[in-house]
């Protein structure tokens, strides 16, 4: 069993620590609030010789991800981190990384996208990149950010998967708040992630290969996209296996979907990221006044755990889906669309209400979450559900 | 190394292609004939050429043929007619000639 020590640290500090323990061969990164301290602390590890990583400073995130793609194709284990506008600037390389099947692991500090200018938390950045073919894990706490980052290496590099993987944590709330985190010893993490054996490494001069080929008009482009779909479908089993093995090692649970109070819940809230803790807190309080509330937290957004979610929600009378991102003009936020789709085949159709909350870091007070659960408990016994989405707490 | 056998390519299923569209051999651009893209072809004047080999160095398609360290002909199966060689030649020994009706073999 690993030796674990409990420390007080920010989410960014423990993500940098997890990266050091995973010992990537190469990192190319560009600083952006609120990701900055991840790459700053990692650069410190490199400077002090605490990790033997080729650290490449670049002039933009477009270059950062381009350099990561090149290094990964060369055969290196590659990690990086970004946020918001940075992730948006990487957009074309995000598709290239997944299309070339390069198991790059990136931390993303979730932050709003301009305009107006805002540096605080919401999920617009990652939800904009949800269709780029990256496996996407979400953390509620600094602990989960640490754990997800380590698991991401094993998931991405698994021979059945070979897809880039993102480990998301909420900007400022998780990246900058000091939290209680259990850190494993270096040897245990090294043993868990193992050595990376690249396939088709450009630097393997005994077996020369060509990367970046053309598959246009009449070529097999369509077939390559299908093979990406097949790989991300295979990743479901791998994510669960790696999660189970990590749980065994760390003593901490992992599920693509994690539930609280769902055994006998009448009403449920589906949520991603740091707000899950607040929702659980309110749900616990509401249970004292007789409302049987449950919470479903999504820890893996891509691949989306449809079956697990439908099972977790079976038997409830009303569901609230909390979206920290917009999908302007759609029927609801990105998570709402997934959840309602997951429930389409359910035997009984229950009301699903979409709450957009916390955009640009706007405060999600406990009273606001209380109104969600109060609404739900009334809808569960026949009150009219609101038509359209609800901007939670907006003026 | 034996050649990559792609004879069944048009029947391959999604999971039969190499991972990430990698081509499991190097240098196979030789098999990909790009000469048909050309609208102009380079012609070298042997009388003025100093055999400095700059065109051979600069050609992005390695389409300048040499023998005994001397430029001989252009590989017209691969020359795309970009004109880089003509532009780089220090003594203007290369002229770009429109492909088609003006060529001696067409006249
Ligand atoms: S660059 Fe000009 S002078 Fe030099 S070898 Fe080529 S044609 Fe001859
Ligand atoms: S025209 Fe371009 S491709 Fe053709 S020989 Fe000259 S440099 Fe090479």
């Amino acid at each position: 069993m690993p030796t674990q020590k409990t420390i007080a640290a920010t989410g960014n500090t423990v993500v940098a620590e997890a990266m050091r323990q995973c010992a990537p061969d190469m990192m190319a990164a560009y600083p952006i609030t609120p990701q900055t301290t991840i790459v700053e602390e990692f650069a410190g590890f490199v400077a002090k010789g605490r990790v033997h990583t080729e650290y490449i400073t670049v002039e933009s995130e477009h270059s950062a991800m381009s350099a990561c793609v090149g290094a990964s194709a060369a055969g290196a284990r590659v990690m990086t981190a970004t946020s918001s506008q940075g992730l948006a600037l990487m957009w074309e390389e995000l598709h290239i990384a997944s299309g070339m099947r390069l198991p790059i692991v990136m931390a993303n500090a979730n932050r709003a996208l301009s305009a107006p200018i805002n540096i605080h938390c919401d999920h617009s950045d990652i939800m904009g990149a949800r269709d780029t073919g990256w496996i996407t894990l979400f953390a509620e706490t600094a602990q989960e950010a640490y754990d997800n980052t380590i698991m991401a290496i094993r998931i991405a590099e698994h021979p059945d998967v070979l897809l880039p993987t993102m480990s998301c944590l909420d900007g400022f709330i998780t990246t900058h708040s000091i939290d209680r985190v259990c850190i494993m010893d270096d040897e245990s993490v090294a043993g868990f992630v193992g050595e990376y054996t690249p396939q088709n490494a450009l630097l393997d001069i005994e077996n020369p290969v060509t990367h970046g080929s053309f598959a246009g008009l009449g070529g097999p482009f369509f077939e390559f996209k299908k093979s990406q779909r097949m790989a991300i479908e295979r990743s479901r089993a791998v994510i669960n296996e790696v999660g189970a093995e990590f749980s065994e090692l760390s003593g901490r649970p992992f599920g693509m979907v994690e539930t609280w109070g769902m055994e006998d819940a009448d009403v449920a809230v589906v949520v991603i990221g740091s707000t899950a803790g607040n929702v659980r807190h309110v749900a616990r309080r509401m249970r004292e006044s007789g409302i049987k509330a449950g919470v479903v937290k999504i820890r893996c957004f891509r691949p989306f755990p449809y079956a697990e979610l439908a099972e977790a929600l079976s038997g409830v009378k009303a569901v609230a889906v909390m979206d920290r991102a917009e999908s302007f003009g759609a029927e609801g936020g990105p998570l709402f669309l997934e959840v309602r789709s997951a429930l389409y085949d359910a035997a009984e159709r229950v009301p699903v209400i979409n709450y957009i909350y916390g955009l640009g870091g706007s405060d999600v007070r406990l009273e606001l979450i209380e109104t969600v659960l109060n609404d739900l408990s009334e809808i569960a016994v026949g009150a009219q559900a609101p038509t359209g989405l609800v901007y939670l707490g907006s003026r | 190394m034996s050649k990559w056998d792609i004879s069944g390519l048009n029947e391959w299923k999604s999971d039969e292609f190499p991972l990430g569209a990698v081509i499991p051999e190097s240098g196979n651009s030789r098999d990909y004939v790009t000469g048909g893209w050309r609208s102009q072809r380079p012609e070298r004047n042997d009388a003025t050429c100093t055999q400095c080999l700059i065109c051979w160095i600069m050609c992005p398609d390695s389409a300048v043929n040499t023998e005994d360290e001397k430029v001989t002909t252009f590989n017209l199966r691969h020359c795309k007619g970009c004109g880089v060689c003509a532009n780089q030649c220090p003594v203007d020994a290369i002229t770009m000639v429109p492909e088609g009706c003006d060529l001696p073999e067409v006249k």
Side-chain angles (χ1 to χ4, degrees):
Chain A
M1 285 310 275
T3 321
Q4 303 204 57
K5 64 171 191 251
T6 306
I7 62 167
T10 66
N12 278 358
T13 291
V14 295
V15 167
E17 180 71 0
M19 288 176 161
R20 182 188 65 73
Q21 293 181 313
C22 293
D25 300 303
M26 183 270 194
M27 177 183 288
Y30 190 82
I32 178 168
T33 303
Q35 155 265 36
T36 308
T37 50
I38 298 178
V39 293
E40 199 173 87
E41 292 192 27
F42 192 87
F45 293 142
V46 175
K48 290 181 196 130
R50 293 195 59 208
V51 66
H52 300 291
T53 300
E54 186 71 38
Y55 189 92
I56 301 182
T57 52
V58 283
E59 79 286 11
S60 74
E61 286 86 356
H62 190 276
S63 305
M65 188 46 70
S66 299
C68 289
V69 163
S72 187
R77 172 178 283 170
V78 175
M79 297 181 94
T80 184
T82 193
S83 176
S84 181
Q85 312 293 137
L87 186 67
L89 189 51
M90 283 180 181
W91 201 75
E92 61 175 341
E93 290 79 24
L94 296 179
H95 280 271
I96 292 168
S98 60
M100 288 175 71
R101 307 291 299 278
L102 302 172
I104 299 164
V105 169
M106 175 160 69
N108 183 55
N110 295 122
R111 168 187 142 179
L113 283 163
S114 300
I117 296 172
N118 183 295
I119 57 165
H120 293 283
C121 176
D122 70 33
H123 298 159
S124 313
D125 52 3
I126 177 58
M127 289 305 171
R130 69 185 174 170
D131 296 336
T132 56
W134 285 58
I135 292 171
T136 308
L137 305 174
F138 269 95
E140 176 189 334
T141 57
Q143 182 71 65
E144 287 186 4
Y146 172 80
D147 294 350
N148 286 355
T149 304
I150 295 169
M151 281 185 275
I153 286 279
R154 277 280 302 276
I155 295 164
E157 292 175 1
H158 194 287
D160 287 351
V161 179
L162 290 164
L163 285 172
T165 301
M166 226 180 291
S167 167
C168 297
L169 63 163
D170 281 351
F172 289 107
I173 303 162
T174 314
T175 60
H176 283 61
S177 304
I178 291 189
D179 212 343
R180 179 186 180 278
V181 189
C182 292
I183 302 289
M184 292 202 277
D185 62 285
D186 289 0
E187 290 69 35
S188 298
V189 177
F192 179 79
V193 297
E195 287 274 319
Y196 173 46
T197 315
Q199 298 201 15
N200 304 318
L202 271 177
L203 289 181
D204 177 3
I205 53 170
E206 302 298 322
N207 301 292
V209 295
T210 306
H211 275 271
S213 65
F214 179 75
L217 217 59
F221 185 86
F222 199 50
E223 280 67 34
F224 279 112
K225 291 300 127 183
K226 186 177 168 192
S227 68
Q228 259 176 269
R229 161 59 81 161
M230 289 155 82
I232 203 160
E233 290 305 329
R234 286 194 299 269
S235 78
R236 294 175 189 276
V238 173
I239 293 165
N240 284 318
E241 270 166 40
V242 171
E245 200 185 312
F246 189 82
S247 292
E248 183 84 6
L249 193 69
S250 65
R252 293 183 288 276
F254 172 83
M256 290 168 82
V257 164
E258 291 180 356
T259 60
W260 182 90
M262 290 305 294
E263 304 73 32
D264 63 343
D266 287 331
V267 297
V269 178
V270 184
V271 64
I272 295 181
S274 59
T275 306
N278 290 2
V279 178
R280 268 198 313 276
H281 175 77
V282 173
R284 194 177 287 124
R285 232 161 53 183
M286 302 289 260
R287 274 186 173 255
E288 285 161 19
S289 50
I291 295 174
K292 284 191 188 156
V295 183
V296 178
K297 180 178 81 184
I298 306 292
R299 196 155 158 187
C300 178
F301 188 78
R302 282 288 181 268
F304 194 82
Y306 290 99
E308 293 88 335
L309 186 79
E311 199 195 313
L313 291 175
S314 69
V316 299
K317 300 193 182 81
V319 178
V321 180
M322 295 187 63
D323 263 295
R324 204 163 193 159
E326 252 287 18
S327 182
F328 297 108
E331 188 126 29
L335 180 59
F336 172 77
L337 301 176
E338 303 285 349
V339 173
R340 218 162 56 157
S341 175
L343 292 178
Y344 185 80
D345 295 326
E348 211 177 323
R349 189 76 49 92
V350 295
V352 184
I353 301 110
N354 192 199
Y355 292 87
I356 306 284
Y357 76 100
L359 300 185
S362 75
D363 208 7
V364 204
R365 299 186 312 278
L366 298 180
E367 308 85 80
L368 284 177
I369 298 169
E370 244 167 59
T371 66
V372 171
L373 281 164
N374 280 328
D375 287 357
L376 281 187
S377 62
E378 280 165 27
I379 293 162
V381 294
Q384 181 65 40
T387 45
L389 51 80
V390 180
Y391 256 66
L392 188 61
S394 76
R395 292 189 292 279
Chain B
M1 230 180 89
S2 61
K3 280 303 282 169
W4 181 31
D5 180 10
I6 55 164
S7 49
L9 185 96
N10 290 334
E11 276 75 48
W12 288 359
K13 302 260 185 300
S14 295
D15 51 3
E16 290 174 85
F17 286 94
L19 188 80
V22 148
I23 296 170
E25 66 183 357
S26 61
N28 72 357
S29 55
R30 256 189 213 93
D31 305 333
Y32 189 41
V33 176
T34 51
W37 303 9
R38 197 172 54 241
S39 64
Q40 292 188 314
R41 71 164 70 187
E43 275 183 9
R44 189 181 58 91
N45 182 346
D46 203 39
T48 48
C49 169
T50 63
Q51 291 296 352
C52 70
L53 290 174
I54 286 177
C55 55
W56 174 76
I57 293 167
M58 301 305 285
C59 172
D61 286 294
S62 305
V64 179
N65 293 328
T66 56
E67 218 180 290
D68 296 332
E69 302 185 4
K70 299 255 188 291
V71 173
T72 53
T73 51
F74 296 99
N75 171 354
L76 294 176
R77 293 180 75 237
H78 289 102
C79 164
K80 294 203 208 79
C82 66
V84 166
C85 53
N87 208 282
Q88 292 293 325
C89 174
V91 295
D92 292 335
I94 299 176
T95 318
M96 296 306 290
V97 184
E99 195 65 276
C101 32
D102 284 345
L103 292 168
E105 60 264 36
V106 177
K107 272 188 178 156

